Amino acid sequence: MKNWDAIIIGAGIIGLSLAIELRRTGMSVLVVEKGEPGREASWAAGGMLADFGREIPSPLQALATASARMYPEFVYGLEDESGLKIDLRAEGTLLFLDSSEDRALQESHPLPASLEKIEPALQTSAHSLLFLKERSVDPRHLTSAAIAAARHRGIDFSSGDQVLAIEVSNGKTAGVRTHKTQFAAAIVVNCAGAWAGQIGPHAFPTRPVKGQMLCVLMPEKNLVSHVVRTPDVYLIPRSDGRLVIGATLEEAGFDKRTVPETILKLRNAAINLVPRLAEARILEDWAGLRPGTPDKLPILGETSIPGYFVATGHFRDGILLAPITARVMAQVITGQRPKFDLRTFWADRFRR
Ligand SMILES: Cc1cc2nc3c(=O)[nH]c(=O)nc-3n(C[C@H](O)[C@H](O)[C@H](O)COP(=O)(O)OP(=O)(O)OC[C@H]3O[C@@H](n4cnc5c(N)ncnc54)[C@H](O)[C@@H]3O)c2cc1C
C-alpha cells in the first residue's frame, strides 16, 4: 500500500488550502474526495469576506480578522501557482442595519461619499447604512485555482472515492478506508464539511445548513459595484457583470434542490433594493450545504486519536476562514504553536 505523510479527507476550500500549506512544508499529501473536487459548499458560496458584524461569533473574530488580512497574498499565491485568474474585489460593502440602536456604529463607518454617488442604482430607504472595507472573491475561481495549484505542487488526488472510516493501529492513526481501497498515512485530517460527522470512529456534530442562491447578469456591468448586505438579502457583484443574490438558511438535511418560489423571493428582494435588476437575466440558481455545528463555531485541532485531526464546521465563513485555517492547522500538525488560542475550537468541547 502506498504511503503518504498526510491524507486530507475532502477537496473543499478548507481541505485544498490545508493540503497546499502542508505540501509547502515538504510533506507528501493525498486528498481523498467522494465526488468531484471543489463542487460542494465551496462551489456554492457567495464569497463575501465579511469579517465584521453580528454574523461573526465573537470567539471567531481574531481568526476572521487575520484571515481577511491574508486574502490578497493567499489569492496571489494561488494565481501564481495555478496560472488562473481569481476575481478578488475590494470595492467594499454597504451594510444595512435593521435597528436604530446600531446608528452609533454608522459614525465609525461612514460612506466615502453620498450613496447616490457610490451606488446610484440602489434604492435608498430609512435603514442606517455602514461602509465596510471588506473584500469579496469568486469562490469558484478560488477552488479551481486551489485544485490546479495543488496538482502543480504534486499533491495527489483520489476523486470519486468516499472515505468510510479512519484506520487506527495501536491506538494511532494509520490511514483511511474508502469504499474502493485503503490509503496509509500517520496523519489524517477530516475536512469533509457538512459530512464530517459521518466518518467513523468520531461522531463530530456537524450538520448541513442549506443555502439557496441565484446569479443574474446585470443589465449594465457595474450596475452594482459594492457588496450590499441587508437583513433579508445580499448582493455580490462580480467583475464580469454577474451578480450573485443570496441566500437562505435552512435546516433541510442533505437536500440540495432549489425551490422556484424561494428563488423568486430572493430575486424580488434584490429588485426592491435595485429596481433595475428587474431587467437582469437569471443565469443560474443552486443550493449548497454549509457545514454547521451546534455552537456555530468551527471544529479545529487534533482529536483523541493521535494523528487524526479535524478542520470543519466553518458554517457561513469557510471561504473567509480558509487561509487562516490552513495556516493554524498546518502549525498544529507540524508541532508548532499557533499564535491563536484554539482551545475554544477543539473537537472535545462537545463531549465535555
Ligand atoms: C449558499 C452559501 C453561501 C455562502 N456564502 C459564503 C460567503 O459569502 N463567505 C464565506 O466565507 N462562506 C460562505 N459560505 C460558507 C462556505 O461555503 C463554507 O463554510 C466552506 O465552503 C466550507 O468549506 P469546506 O471545505 O469545509 O466544505 P466543502 O466545500 O463542502 O468541502 C467538503 C468536501 O468534502 C467532501 N467529502 C465529504 N464527505 C466525504 C467523505 N466521506 N470522503 C471523501 N470526501 C468527502 C465533499 O464532497 C466536499 O467536496 C456559503 C455557503 C453557502 C452554502
Side-chain angles (χ1 to χ4, degrees):
M1 202 186 339
K2 202 178 161 197
N3 200 75
W4 284 266
D5 293 327
I7 291 174
I8 306 284
I9 308 170
I13 196 60
I14 299 297
L16 292 165
S17 314
L18 177 57
I20 293 169
E21 195 75 18
L22 289 176
R23 184 77 192 108
R24 279 191 186 128
T25 70
M27 291 169 88
S28 60
V29 182
L30 169 70
V31 178
V32 186
E33 164 56 50
K34 72 173 168 59
E36 209 184 310
R39 294 290 293 187
E40 289 292 350
S42 305
W43 176 88
M48 293 177 291
L49 304 177
D51 66 331
F52 177 89
R54 270 180 250 123
E55 276 154 40
I56 300 285
S58 54
L60 206 51
Q61 188 62 59
L63 289 179
T65 306
S67 212
R69 289 205 182 115
M70 289 166 79
Y71 240 88
E73 205 186 320
F74 177 62
V75 162
Y76 178 75
L78 292 178
E79 285 185 330
D80 192 38
E81 288 183 19
S82 66
L84 297 172
K85 183 91 193 78
I86 300 171
D87 188 20
L88 177 71
R89 291 170 59 89
E91 275 71 6
T93 294
L94 298 170
L95 175 66
F96 284 64
L97 299 170
D98 57 356
S99 79
S100 53
E101 70 197 282
D102 288 314
R103 279 176 199 280
L105 270 176
Q106 219 177 338
E107 285 158 28
S108 52
H109 298 86
L111 302 189
S114 73
L115 188 60
E116 294 71 41
K117 212 165 191 169
I118 61 169
E119 204 61 274
L122 193 67
Q123 182 124 328
T124 43
S125 76
H127 287 86
S128 44
L129 202 58
L130 306 188
F131 175 76
L132 306 173
K133 287 185 184 146
E134 291 171 349
R135 295 186 175 86
S136 65
V137 69
D138 184 327
R140 296 183 190 179
H141 289 180
L142 190 73
T143 44
S144 298
I147 294 163
R151 292 212 160 103
H152 177 73
R153 281 198 167 256
I155 291 168
D156 294 316
F157 281 82
S158 181
S159 303
D161 199 3
Q162 184 179 355
V163 173
L164 302 175
I166 309 306
E167 294 286 354
V168 181
S169 169
N170 298 325
K172 287 188 192 154
T173 302
V176 298
R177 181 160 47 83
T178 75
H179 79 301
K180 288 184 189 166
T181 184
Q182 286 184 330
F183 298 114
I187 291 166
V188 172
V189 195
N190 183 335
C191 301
W195 298 263
Q198 297 178 346
I199 301 164
H202 262 299
F204 304 118
T206 48
R207 67 172 203 289
V209 182
K210 179 176 175 178
Q212 299 186 47
M213 311 187 83
L214 72 152
C215 178
V216 301
L217 186 63
M218 292 188 277
E220 270 165 46
K221 206 169 172 185
N222 291 316
L223 180 70
V224 178
S225 61
H226 300 81
V227 169
V228 181
R229 282 160 60 192
T230 83
D232 310 317
V233 70
Y234 54 73
L235 312 178
I236 311 167
R238 307 275 190 241
S239 300
D240 61 5
R242 287 175 300 142
L243 180 80
V244 172
I245 301 169
T248 60
L249 271 175
E250 302 167 62
E251 303 284 343
F254 288 92
D255 176 6
K256 285 196 295 180
R257 286 171 298 183
T258 54
V259 178
E261 297 79 53
T262 308
I263 297 297
L264 198 66
K265 231 167 139 182
L266 286 169
R267 177 174 180 262
N268 288 340
I271 293 171
N272 275 340
L273 278 176
V274 179
R276 281 206 61 204
L277 287 176
E279 301 162 39
R281 184 159 61 88
I282 298 184
L283 296 175
E284 191 189 352
D285 60 56
W286 67 89
L289 304 173
R290 304 173 184 90
T293 61
D295 56 9
K296 298 188 177 159
L297 295 175
I299 311 176
L300 304 173
E302 194 164 17
T303 68
S304 56
I305 303 170
Y308 182 33
F309 297 82
V310 58
T312 191
H314 293 77
F315 192 38
R316 304 184 75 175
D317 305 305
I319 303 295
L320 167 68
L321 293 168
I324 194 69
T325 300
R327 165 98 35 107
V328 297
M329 285 301 301
Q331 288 171 333
V332 169
I333 290 165
T334 57
Q336 297 168 59
R337 212 187 148 95
K339 72 174 190 192
F340 298 93
D341 184 355
L342 299 181
R343 276 174 297 186
T344 320
F345 309 113
W346 285 357
D348 71 353
R349 71 185 185 270
F350 301 108
R351 285 196 277 153
R352 269 179 237 140

